[in-house]
Amino acid sequence: MSEILSVRGAAKSYGAVKALRGADLAVARGEVHALCGDNGAGKSTLIKLVAGVEHPDAGEIALRGEKVRFSSPHDALAAGIATIHQDLGLAPGLTIYQNVFMGSELVKRVLGIPVLDRAAMIARSQDFLVQLNSVMRDMTARVENLSGGQRQAVALCRALRWNAEIIVMDEPTAALGVRETEEVIKLIRRLKENGVTVILISHNMNDVIAVADRVTILRGGRTETSLPTEGLNAQALSDLIMRGETALEEAG
Ligand SMILES: Nc1ncnc2c1ncn2[C@@H]1O[C@H](COP(=O)(O)OP(=O)(O)OP(=O)(O)O)[C@@H](O)[C@H]1O
Ligand SMILES: [Mg+2]
């Protein structure tokens, strides 16, 4: 397997709380890799290290085989890792294209003076949405008027705008109904078809089974196991998270 991202022996404490005590993660290029574990297992902390939000106390992160040290989320983004947090980080009162290009607006020069290139931002936003198979066509619609699934698509467009090779999604379906969850699953499949590597944090075993190629399970800040989802069902996965590897052995 061609490894695009690896974390080895990551440790991170917050005061007396050991959030991570030696976590490993190996993500292959182009796969959908789920990160699972009970509440407090360390999933978000591990992702914060990968996203440049926090620094590990110990351990190493390697991207495309080279050791990296991110000092900010912008560093991680520039290296090709975009993270979509649960709140999506969108500005509801702004339009789709304004959200896609927030903080990285396209400009053109008119008589030597830089002005926002609205037409280019609208056209490129539309391109990104087409890449995601989205049917949204009005790039001037306000995000507050979009469904949960559509908002996820806008957040993904912002990641694509940075040419992200790895997109990390923290609980993308947690607040969504059945139909919108299905939309998000389709978005993830579409990203994979386009060659993007996806790391998906999820408590929803059905989503993980539906879309992930591989799953890494954290427990108490350590990596319990990492295995392909092929042949697993939601119940087996949930047993594995709750009871650990003995669940697999018992299942034979
Ligand atoms: N900023 C912080 N300050 C203090 N403790 C923290 C902080 N962030 C996380 N922790 C603690 O670290 C541990 C791991 O937390 P983390 O958020 O990584 O877990 P998680 O697997 O994402 O859980 P959940 O499924 O509930 O989101 C928990 O005990 C948590 O309370
Ligand atoms: Mg979390």
Side-chain angles (χ1 to χ4, degrees):
M1 105 177 169
S2 151
E3 211 172 73
I4 189 165
L5 178 75
S6 80
V7 180
R8 277 186 233 294
K12 177 76 192 173
S13 294
Y14 296 103
V17 181
K18 289 184 172 160
L20 291 177
R21 23 175 122 220
D24 301 318
L25 177 68
V27 180
R29 185 181 295 278
E31 74 178 352
V32 177
H33 195 119
L35 192 54
C36 294
D38 211 354
N39 295 112
K43 304 179 294 295
S44 294
T45 305
L46 181 56
I47 281 325
K48 283 178 188 159
L49 303 184
V50 167
V53 176
E54 305 268 18
H55 304 295
D57 300 333
E60 286 190 358
I61 301 173
L63 183 62
R64 301 176 203 97
E66 300 204 357
K67 199 178 155 187
V68 286
R69 195 181 184 286
F70 300 135
S71 17
S72 71
H74 189 270
D75 274 4
L77 205 49
I81 305 175
T83 302
I84 300 178
H85 298 283
Q86 201 173 333
D87 67 5
L88 301 184
L90 298 173
L94 298 182
T95 66
I96 292 177
Y97 83 85
Q98 286 169 328
N99 271 279
V100 172
F101 286 93
M102 200 192 304
S104 64
E105 289 82 1
L106 300 179
V107 291
K108 62 179 177 183
R109 289 190 173 265
V110 176
L111 303 174
I113 299 161
V115 293
L116 289 178
D117 195 345
R118 187 172 177 271
M121 289 190 278
I122 288 175
R124 296 219 26 218
S125 298
Q126 184 70 77
D127 288 347
F128 294 136
L129 283 168
V130 168
Q131 273 181 44
L132 293 172
N133 270 357
S134 164
V135 294
M136 282 187 278
R137 290 294 174 263
D138 179 8
M139 299 302 103
T140 64
R142 282 177 203 276
V143 162
E144 64 198 359
N145 297 325
L146 304 180
S147 72
Q150 290 173 327
R151 288 177 199 213
Q152 279 285 342
V154 174
L156 287 172
C157 286
R158 187 193 277 167
L160 294 175
R161 184 260 176 283
W162 287 95
N163 296 318
E165 272 187 88
I166 301 175
I167 298 184
V168 184
M169 303 171 81
D170 196 349
E171 295 281 354
T173 62
L176 303 183
V178 176
R179 203 160 141 194
E180 295 193 329
T181 295
E182 192 49 43
E183 266 180 60
V184 172
I185 296 293
K186 283 185 186 154
L187 288 171
I188 295 172
R189 290 206 176 108
R190 188 70 186 163
L191 286 171
K192 181 182 161 162
E193 283 166 18
N194 292 346
V196 176
T197 304
V198 178
I199 300 175
L200 169 70
I201 299 182
S202 184
H203 279 285
N204 186 322
M205 298 307 121
N206 292 317
D207 292 358
V208 171
I209 296 295
V211 79
D213 300 297
R214 198 174 179 85
V215 56
T216 290
I217 296 172
L218 292 184
R219 172 194 290 268
R222 285 194 184 90
T223 299
E224 164 96 14
T225 186
S226 178
L227 72 173
T229 55
E230 205 182 331
L232 276 183
N233 59 32
Q235 187 58 49
L237 183 55
S238 150
D239 287 351
L240 205 51
I241 290 165
M242 300 313 291
R243 298 194 284 131
E245 285 192 303
T246 51
L248 264 193
E249 285 153 20
E250 284 166 23

